[in-house]
Amino acid sequence: MQPALRLHNFSAGPATLPEAVLLEIKEELPVYGDLGASVLEISHRSAAYTQIAQDARDRMRRLLGVGAEWHVLFLQGGASMQFHQAPLNFRKAEGSADYVVTGRWAANALKEAQRTGKARAAASSEDQNFSYLPDVAAWDIDPEAAYLHITSNNTVAGTQFRETPQVAPPLVCDASSDFLSRPIDMARHALVYAGAQKNIGPAGATAVLVRDDFLQRRNASLPVMLDYGVHAAKLYNTPPVFAVYVIGKVLAWLEGRGGLAAMDKINEGKAGALYARIDRTDFYRGVARKEARSRMNVTFRLPSEDLEGRFLAEANAQGLLGLKGHRSVGGMRASLYNACPEASVDALIAFMDDFERKRG
Amino acid sequence: MQPALRLHNFSAGPATLPEAVLLEIKEELPVYGDLGASVLEISHRSAAYTQIAQDARDRMRRLLGVGAEWHVLFLQGGASMQFHQAPLNFRKAEGSADYVVTGRWAANALKEAQRTGKARAAASSEDQNFSYLPDVAAWDIDPEAAYLHITSNNTVAGTQFRETPQVAPPLVCDASSDFLSRPIDMARHALVYAGAQKNIGPAGATAVLVRDDFLQRRNASLPVMLDYGVHAAKLYNTPPVFAVYVIGKVLAWLEGRGGLAAMDKINEGKAGALYARIDRTDFYRGVARKEARSRMNVTFRLPSEDLEGRFLAEANAQGLLGLKGHRSVGGMRASLYNACPEASVDALIAFMDDFERKRG
């Protein structure tokens, strides 16, 4: 039988995974090593899972160049749960937290924080549909804020902070859509979280990194499942075993590719090539301002919605999947996360050339 | 190459899955159907996932014999998150909820409810280490309780309610360890939840069934991720895609075996055979009172801890895995969930006969 074909997957998340990782998973079904069962079936207290989780945490710390002062947790509920959990842990009863609103998800984070207490926007780019990043020097930061929350990469509009801002309050970062795609200046952060399903694994796990000195400042008497301290202290309840296993494999693959500095170069190359194609003629038009462009989510429009519809249909027919932009932005979005191969970007560029030639 | 051997897996959870399901998953890596990608990599808004999730919900309703008046949700965080979420949704600001404390998990459920408001034990079997179930007629039920919470099967001590109690307050049931192992009288319930990792799938998803009329009584202004109503109304955020996919396959397998009435007979047969072996001589001794015995988790002791240690080591060496009882009970625990084959129970019984002959 002919093996089924893998196509070019530009999905914004859940997103493509390294084929080598998928083949390892396949190999380890229905039995993992000499365990007599698959990873889907083993106790989270077993020696095998304990090792899998420890390996994943160790690899994460190595990739980020941090030590035991950072707790590495694998939680559930995605970034959306973190929108509730972060203020619950770190904003005091009468305190406030600051948010930089640079996209749809950042806005959701602020909204959730406001649902249970005081939180404010220190800056926002909503006035131009989040197509730019507000200048850090102009942020209106509350020096008393429990923390300042940013979104390092904005999946919908396709913007990304070039570097981590240096601010007075502890920095909390939703890094869901660019986590481990480049080195992170962890010393500037207090808490970093990321839904796994874009750069580091499948849906169903959220990586949460919290610095111990910040963790110690959390509120008391929290619901046990929402208390970062409980999860930092021990394996409290059944974790998403299989998702952590896949994450571990992706982290090993990242180390094998040379770590975050190497990935940064690769990702810069992929996005650079695609933006160069967009900018080469006037047929395609980037959505985000150039200085704010994301290397993860490349958003662009065509001259008309009619052409955009044809572009999508033809791309899909040629095996270029997941290119439809978010409805709030329109047009196209090509997500080029870590596992998106250079060959997929090349194929997309060739298709764009061809489409323009025929319709331009 | 010789395929690696699957052994007899009696793990209390995450637990064994049907081998046929694992082989299907293997077959669908790294590409699912004609999708060009695996299920680990597809958008939760894609047509493929929408179908997978709808199929799983439909199968769940068919198996339980219920209609659209029951919402079927696949959430994250396990039963432990439900311990917080259920009171948050259904207990009014000054109200109270009742709990029947029949095991370690039931006690945790009460503790979490008490962390955020008023909750009380309507009955408890803690006085005898949860080895029995308090007589329903003697439960001290608060008629004003927002709900009464029970745990249908108690994994640690190995007890299980024979039938669903009929009580005045809306019934909330943690069915994590016997969900879909037998027919459920859904008409007596308002909310049923179950961590997937015992009877219906892998770790990382929680099935939550909530009756619409009960759902409508929930509190307002809840954190969005903890509001059952948000998840009942739409797919709010990225769900645990792969776990739902596996659950769907397990539900199809359950339907293929004849549904819940058929599973009830099979599970009765498996547990009946094992209890008969325990009771046949005085060498083995059941932990739970006979009238409260669980068909899912069979707990038993040997004449001495020394013999128990040897039993475990020899069982393990012979490919009978996961038999160590919870430390609060000691001895052995054989978990015989839906996917535990009759052949595994036969192998365990043969081993027990053999062990007794040699050491008894």
Side-chain angles (χ1 to χ4, degrees):
Chain A
M1 198 182 73
Q2 191 76 2
L5 200 64
R6 280 179 65 76
L7 302 176
H8 299 294
N9 182 359
F10 299 99
S11 173
T16 193
L17 289 169
E19 188 172 14
V21 165
L22 297 170
L23 294 175
E24 272 183 38
I25 297 167
K26 184 183 179 87
E27 179 68 28
E28 290 167 1
L29 284 170
V31 177
Y32 177 74
D34 58 358
L35 215 61
S38 73
V39 173
L40 288 159
E41 305 165 289
I42 56 172
S43 169
H44 53 296
R45 309 283 176 199
S46 66
Y49 179 72
T50 303
Q51 189 64 51
I52 285 169
Q54 187 57 50
D55 278 355
R57 285 192 297 268
D58 289 348
R59 288 185 192 283
M60 183 83 84
R61 288 198 182 95
R62 273 204 303 273
L63 282 162
L64 290 167
V66 299
E69 73 279 13
W70 281 92
H71 301 280
V72 179
L73 320 177
F74 297 110
L75 304 185
Q76 295 180 68
S80 293
M81 187 64 92
Q82 297 304 305
F83 297 167
H84 173 55
Q85 194 167 351
L88 194 70
N89 276 256
F90 294 113
R91 183 181 52 197
K92 300 297 164 193
E94 299 303 313
S96 178
D98 268 8
Y99 283 72
V100 177
V101 183
T102 51
R104 171 192 167 82
W105 294 106
N108 279 354
L110 173 58
K111 193 170 158 194
E112 277 310 291
Q114 287 176 330
R115 205 185 292 274
T116 52
K118 204 176 152 203
R120 56 194 280 285
S124 171
S125 55
E126 195 166 7
D127 59 338
Q128 291 182 42
N129 204 19
F130 302 121
S131 60
Y132 71 103
L133 294 169
D135 182 19
V136 178
W139 291 0
D140 169 33
I141 298 174
D142 171 7
E144 300 295 310
Y147 57 82
L148 182 131
H149 182 282
I150 64 165
T151 310
S152 54
N153 183 81
N154 301 282
T155 326
V156 172
T159 64
Q160 184 180 27
F161 284 103
R162 276 286 153 276
E163 58 180 35
T164 302
Q166 197 153 19
V167 293
L171 189 69
V172 171
C173 179
D174 175 1
S176 293
S177 52
D178 67 356
F179 191 53
L180 303 191
S181 71
R182 59 180 181 180
I184 306 177
D185 187 350
M186 293 296 284
R188 290 193 179 176
H189 291 88
L191 171 69
V192 178
Y193 62 83
Q197 69 272 13
K198 294 167 192 288
N199 268 303
I200 65 159
T206 314
V208 176
L209 285 89
V210 56
R211 224 180 49 217
D212 187 64
D213 59 341
F214 188 57
L215 178 69
Q216 300 312 329
R217 288 152 61 175
R218 76 190 182 285
N219 294 318
S221 304
L222 298 167
V224 64
M225 282 295 292
L226 296 173
D227 183 340
Y228 293 119
V230 166
H231 299 289
K234 61 174 182 180
L235 186 61
Y236 176 72
N237 74 325
T238 314
V241 171
F242 188 78
V244 174
Y245 154 81
V246 179
I247 288 171
K249 286 187 183 298
V250 173
L251 300 183
W253 177 84
L254 285 174
E255 289 194 298
R257 297 211 78 186
L260 302 191
M263 287 314 301
D264 191 26
K265 284 211 166 50
I266 294 167
N267 288 322
E268 185 183 3
K270 288 188 295 184
L274 184 50
Y275 282 121
R277 164 57 275 220
I278 290 168
D279 295 338
R280 196 165 60 72
T281 65
D282 291 334
F283 186 72
Y284 300 104
R285 178 171 46 86
V287 170
R289 279 201 210 155
K290 283 192 181 177
E291 68 277 13
R293 280 175 165 177
S294 164
R295 287 179 186 162
M296 297 285 103
N297 311 99
V298 176
T299 49
F300 59 98
R301 306 290 312 248
L302 272 70
S304 72
E305 290 196 3
D306 176 59
L307 278 171
E308 288 175 343
R310 290 194 224 170
F311 182 98
L312 267 179
E314 289 184 27
N316 210 61
Q318 293 195 27
L320 301 159
L321 310 180
L323 286 167
K324 191 173 166 53
H326 191 273
R327 63 185 177 282
S328 67
V329 171
M332 309 298 144
R333 171 173 54 182
S335 295
L336 314 180
Y337 303 123
N338 280 336
C340 174
E342 282 137 314
S344 289
V345 180
D346 294 343
L348 173 58
I349 291 172
F351 173 79
M352 289 168 74
D353 285 342
D354 189 52
F355 189 85
E356 181 179 358
R357 208 158 30 236
K358 287 191 296 186
R359 317 270 172 166
Chain B
M1 198 181 76
Q2 190 75 5
L5 200 63
R6 280 179 64 75
L7 302 175
H8 299 294
N9 183 357
F10 299 99
S11 173
T16 194
L17 289 168
E19 188 173 15
V21 165
L22 297 169
L23 294 176
E24 271 183 38
I25 298 168
K26 184 184 179 88
E27 180 68 27
E28 291 167 1
L29 284 170
V31 177
Y32 176 73
D34 59 358
L35 215 62
S38 73
V39 173
L40 288 159
E41 305 166 288
I42 57 172
S43 169
H44 54 296
R45 309 283 177 198
S46 66
Y49 179 71
T50 303
Q51 190 63 52
I52 285 170
Q54 188 57 51
D55 278 356
R57 285 191 297 269
D58 289 347
R59 288 185 192 282
M60 184 83 84
R61 288 197 182 95
R62 273 205 302 274
L63 281 163
L64 290 168
V66 299
E69 73 279 11
W70 281 91
H71 301 281
V72 179
L73 320 177
F74 298 111
L75 304 184
Q76 295 179 67
S80 292
M81 187 64 92
Q82 297 305 305
F83 297 167
H84 173 54
Q85 194 167 352
L88 194 69
N89 276 256
F90 293 112
R91 183 181 51 196
K92 300 297 163 193
E94 299 303 313
S96 177
D98 269 7
Y99 284 72
V100 177
V101 183
T102 52
R104 171 193 166 81
W105 294 105
N108 280 353
L110 172 59
K111 192 170 160 194
E112 277 310 291
Q114 288 176 329
R115 206 184 291 274
T116 52
K118 204 177 152 203
R120 56 193 280 285
S124 171
S125 56
E126 194 166 8
D127 59 339
Q128 291 182 40
N129 204 20
F130 301 121
S131 61
Y132 71 104
L133 294 168
D135 182 18
V136 178
W139 292 359
D140 169 32
I141 298 174
D142 169 6
E144 300 295 310
Y147 56 81
L148 181 132
H149 181 283
I150 63 165
T151 310
S152 54
N153 182 82
N154 300 281
T155 325
V156 172
T159 64
Q160 184 180 27
F161 283 104
R162 275 287 153 275
E163 58 180 34
T164 302
Q166 197 153 18
V167 293
L171 190 68
V172 171
C173 179
D174 176 0
S176 292
S177 53
D178 67 355
F179 191 52
L180 303 190
S181 71
R182 58 180 182 181
I184 306 177
D185 187 350
M186 293 297 283
R188 291 192 178 176
H189 291 87
L191 172 69
V192 178
Y193 62 84
Q197 69 272 12
K198 294 169 192 286
N199 268 303
I200 65 160
T206 314
V208 176
L209 284 88
V210 56
R211 224 180 47 217
D212 188 64
D213 59 340
F214 188 57
L215 178 70
Q216 300 312 328
R217 288 153 61 176
R218 75 190 183 284
N219 294 318
S221 303
L222 298 167
V224 65
M225 282 296 291
L226 297 173
D227 184 339
Y228 293 118
V230 167
H231 299 288
K234 61 174 182 180
L235 187 60
Y236 176 74
N237 74 325
T238 314
V241 171
F242 188 78
V244 174
Y245 154 81
V246 179
I247 289 171
K249 286 187 183 297
V250 173
L251 299 183
W253 176 83
L254 286 174
E255 288 193 298
R257 299 210 78 186
L260 302 191
M263 287 314 301
D264 192 25
K265 284 212 164 52
I266 293 168
N267 287 322
E268 185 183 3
K270 288 188 294 184
L274 184 50
Y275 283 121
R277 164 58 274 221
I278 290 168
D279 295 339
R280 197 165 60 74
T281 65
D282 291 335
F283 186 72
Y284 300 106
R285 178 171 47 88
V287 169
R289 279 201 211 156
K290 283 191 181 178
E291 69 278 12
R293 279 175 167 179
S294 164
R295 288 179 185 162
M296 297 285 103
N297 311 99
V298 176
T299 48
F300 58 97
R301 306 289 314 249
L302 273 69
S304 72
E305 290 195 4
D306 176 59
L307 277 172
E308 288 174 344
R310 289 195 223 171
F311 181 98
L312 268 180
E314 289 184 26
N316 209 61
Q318 294 195 27
L320 301 159
L321 311 180
L323 286 167
K324 191 173 165 55
H326 191 274
R327 63 185 178 283
S328 66
V329 171
M332 308 299 143
R333 171 173 55 181
S335 295
L336 313 180
Y337 302 123
N338 281 336
C340 174
E342 283 138 313
S344 290
V345 181
D346 293 344
L348 174 57
I349 291 172
F351 173 79
M352 290 169 74
D353 285 342
D354 189 53
F355 189 86
E356 181 180 358
R357 207 157 32 236
K358 287 192 297 187
R359 319 272 171 165

